[in-house]
Amino acid sequence: MKKAAIFIGSVIIVYFILQLGTGMILTTSYVPNVSEAWQNVVGLLPEITFGQSSIALAPALIFGVLSIFIAYGITSLFSKKLNIN
């Protein structure tokens, strides 16, 4: 039971850290197109577009699978150190 709790907790923590890190990278690397912004000043749109994604599910799936593999490694390390069966 302890091993399952460590696994679930580490999946949640690793997934959160991956999402936070990539969000920070994307935020700092975003450069708006200034010429396009000045053209749209006359007719302001009610919504903001940040980009286009052809496959919206792929990043979440990749981060989920990556989180599971990292959490499995963390669980095996903790189970060896704490002698949890």
Side-chain angles (χ1 to χ4, degrees), residues 11 14-23 25-26 56-71:
V11 166
V14 168
Y15 189 78
F16 178 75
I17 290 171
L18 284 173
Q19 290 290 332
L20 185 69
T22 55
I25 291 169
L26 288 172
L57 183 62
L61 185 63
I62 291 170
F63 286 133
V65 171
L66 186 62
S67 298
I68 289 171
F69 283 123
I70 293 172

Side-chain angles (χ1 to χ4, degrees), residues 10-75:
S10 59
V11 166
I12 292 169
I13 291 170
V14 168
Y15 189 78
F16 178 75
I17 290 171
L18 284 173
Q19 290 290 332
L20 185 69
T22 55
M24 290 171 63
I25 291 169
L26 288 172
T27 301
T28 57
S29 65
Y30 175 71
V31 178
N33 189 354
V34 179
S35 63
E36 184 178 307
W38 281 109
Q39 292 172 358
N40 292 334
V41 169
V42 176
L44 293 174
L45 298 174
E47 62 184 52
I48 299 171
T49 57
F50 287 104
Q52 297 176 0
S53 176
S54 60
I55 302 173
L57 183 62
L61 185 63
I62 291 170
F63 286 133
V65 171
L66 186 62
S67 298
I68 289 171
F69 283 123
I70 293 172
Y72 179 75
I74 291 171
T75 304

